[in-house]
Amino acid sequence: MTEQVPAADRYKEITALATTAAQQLRRHERERAGELGEAVAAGRQRREAADEQREQVVEDVRKRWNAAMEALWDERWMQVKSMPDPDPAARASNPDDSRREVQAAYMALHSALEKPRFAASLRPRRKKES
């Protein structure tokens, strides 16, 4: 026949297994908490970097807008308003592409302002001195 294990020994065996399992669980939870803490810190750093990058893009756009308004100062017919709000329907873009597009638009404005504004036939004629 099989030998019966005393209840006290079986109790000690079960409590030892439970203690070991609890220790392993605590160790796992500490490791996981450390991993999650690192992930949160990394996410915070990414968010701060993105906020800083956003502020730089906004400042670059504001500088270009102000320069464009100065360039258009002599164009009295044009009603210049304050800088428009961002367009929520605009396609997503990374900051570097946004800066390039704003710079290209700014340069196109300057190029357009440098071109003659009237055709030669529309310019006032100078009277010839006799």
Side-chain angles (χ1 to χ4, degrees), residues 35-78:
E35 291 170 1
L36 292 174
E38 290 172 7
V40 167
R44 187 175 294 124
Q45 287 177 342
R46 284 193 314 274
R47 189 193 73 228
E48 289 170 357
D51 288 345
E52 183 178 320
Q53 205 171 34
R54 179 187 180 280
E55 289 302 317
Q56 289 173 349
V57 169
V58 168
E59 183 61 27
D60 287 351
V61 169
R62 186 174 292 116
K63 285 179 185 177
R64 292 289 180 253
W65 178 264
N66 290 338
M69 295 302 100
E70 288 176 17
L72 292 171
W73 184 254
D74 292 331
E75 304 296 326
R76 300 286 184 213
W77 59 271
M78 181 178 271

